[in-house]
Amino acid sequence: MRTAPRRIGLLGGITWHSTLEYERLLHEGVAAALPGRSADLAIRHYEWGAIERAQAEGDWDGLAARFGDDARWLVDGGAEAILICANTMHLVADRVQEAAGVPVIHIVDEVAGAARAAGLERVALLGTGFTMRMPFYRERLASHGVEALVPPEPRLTEVHALIYERLARGIVDDAGRALMREATAELLDAGAQGVIAGCTEIPMVMTAADVEVPYLDALALHADAAVRFALSD
């Protein structure tokens, strides 16, 4: 086993709440394997408002260029792999990979692997409106043999609004928890065998303790994969 972890580059601040959780899990994971040590991280932490505006304007090319440039900057600072600390921004992961020249640990691959390990063929996907409406997440899951179900309207818009108008601002309440439980129950009734927390803020209002089916926390699975990479030879 390595005596010191590899450096991981984080593209974070999407939102800051989830990026702090990434950092905690990375540090705890390394410390568990290497007592007395912590994760070695290089971080580009974005101002969330600027990212939110670019997403709302549909400027995915601009975001891809920004994230690619910043990934290269992290690599120049010694990062040996990149984490995009958000589900939605994996829409531009392939372009970040091209720019970085080092592995971009893909969140959907980790979720799909966990789903397959749990024997799941059909799962509920809850995330931002971009993640649920656009095909990039569902198609990558499908390439691993996992079908994703998303809420119909108006539930889909309600989940998106919860994330952007409340969770991204750190507002956590019983109404948000109830909405996530209801959205999950509806998709389970439609045939889902488990649920993906496909937005890094969803664990703020729903955890494994809230459901009776396999719960796939994309953030935690992503962070665990990064720890494995950091400790690999």
Side-chain angles (χ1 to χ4, degrees):
M1 179 183 291
R2 296 177 64 90
T3 58
R6 291 175 164 188
R7 183 169 299 165
I8 304 294
L10 273 59
L11 296 172
I14 337 165
T15 62
W16 64 262
H17 309 88
S18 65
T19 305
L20 292 180
E21 184 67 5
Y22 267 101
E23 291 184 51
R24 182 184 70 80
L25 292 173
L26 291 167
H27 288 307
E28 289 181 353
V30 170
L34 300 174
R37 307 302 293 261
S38 65
D40 185 343
L41 306 176
I43 303 173
R44 169 63 172 100
H45 199 285
Y46 296 102
E47 191 279 303
W48 163 240
I51 302 300
E52 182 183 17
R53 286 191 296 275
Q55 290 179 343
E57 293 166 1
D59 187 16
W60 301 106
D61 286 341
L63 286 167
R66 184 186 312 186
F67 277 47
D69 288 345
D70 290 339
R72 186 69 246 173
W73 176 71
L74 293 172
V75 171
D76 289 344
E80 297 183 55
I82 299 295
L83 281 190
I84 301 173
C85 298
N87 286 267
T88 293
M89 287 311 303
H90 277 74
L91 174 64
V92 303
D94 290 345
R95 292 175 64 177
V96 174
Q97 175 76 73
E98 291 175 7
V102 301
V104 172
I105 301 172
H106 203 294
I107 200 167
V108 182
D109 292 341
E110 301 309 317
V111 171
R116 293 299 299 269
L120 306 179
E121 297 179 351
R122 181 177 296 157
V123 294
L125 172 60
L126 296 172
T128 70
F130 305 113
T131 295
M132 293 187 289
R133 290 190 180 99
M134 300 171 82
F136 73 99
Y137 208 103
R138 286 177 284 114
E139 287 180 352
R140 195 159 183 124
L141 285 172
S143 73
H144 291 276
V146 179
E147 178 187 1
L149 305 180
V150 300
E153 294 291 2
R155 184 70 78 195
L156 189 152
T157 294
E158 292 172 349
V159 172
H160 178 82
L162 169 66
I163 293 168
Y164 276 77
E165 296 173 14
R166 301 185 69 76
L167 301 184
R169 301 177 184 182
I171 302 170
V172 178
D173 56 25
D174 289 341
R177 295 186 183 95
L179 172 59
M180 295 309 301
R181 287 196 301 270
E182 291 165 6
T184 299
E186 290 163 0
L187 292 173
L188 294 177
D189 287 343
Q193 302 161 313
V195 58
I196 299 172
C199 172
T200 52
E201 284 68 48
I202 285 178
M204 296 167 70
V205 287
M206 184 174 70
T207 68
D210 298 310
V211 295
E212 296 180 357
V213 295
Y215 172 86
L216 306 176
D217 181 341
L219 188 163
L221 292 166
H222 201 203
D224 186 60
V227 170
R228 293 196 305 273
F229 180 91
L231 298 174
S232 65
D233 292 329

